């Protein structure tokens, strides 16, 4: 699943997963994502991570918690 605008593939996959999954499913997805060594802190062209975007959404709290639990924002992967 690749972005067609030059955005990092890992950012694109994470953003699409966030947009299309319920919070619990997203948390489970993050286990597999990080186990594959994917970059949970990948950035878009504006320098934002998915965590940056999710934190700005009114209903993004449980998604942001799942991202942090998986290592987002810390430069590592807690679940891997």
């Amino acid at each position: 699943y690749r972005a067609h605008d030059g955005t990092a593939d890992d950012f694109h996959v994470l953003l699409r997963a966030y947009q299309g999954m319920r919070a619990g499913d997203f948390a489970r997805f993050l286990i597999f994502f990080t186990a594959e060594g994917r970059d949970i802190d990948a950035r878009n062209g504006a320098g934002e991570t998915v965590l940056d975007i999710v934190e700005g959404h009114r209903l993004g709290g449980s998604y942001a918690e799942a991202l942090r639990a998986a290592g987002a924002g810390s430069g590592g992967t807690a679940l891997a």
Side-chain angles (χ1 to χ4, degrees), residues 1-3 5 8 10 13-15 20 29-31 35 37 39 44 47 52 61 63 65-66 71 74 76 79:
Y1 199 44
R2 294 188 171 281
D5 62 0
D10 287 344
V13 169
L14 271 177
L15 184 62
F29 164 80
L30 291 174
I31 294 168
D39 183 5
N44 63 13
D52 294 333
Y63 293 88
E65 288 175 22
S74 68
L79 297 177

Side-chain angles (χ1 to χ4, degrees), residues 11 51 53 65-66:
F11 176 88
L51 179 59
I53 292 169
E65 288 175 22

Side-chain angles (χ1 to χ4, degrees), residues 12-61:
H12 182 72
V13 169
L14 271 177
L15 184 62
R16 293 296 180 192
Y18 161 64
Q19 292 172 332
M21 293 182 176
R22 296 173 297 187
D25 295 332
F26 183 68
R28 281 189 294 280
F29 164 80
L30 291 174
I31 294 168
F32 296 104
F33 186 86
T34 57
E36 289 294 317
R38 311 264 325 237
D39 183 5
I40 201 159
D41 286 319
R43 296 178 180 273
N44 63 13
E48 301 169 303
T49 66
V50 172
L51 179 59
D52 294 333
I53 292 169
V54 169
E55 287 179 327
H57 293 169
R58 182 174 53 91
L59 300 176

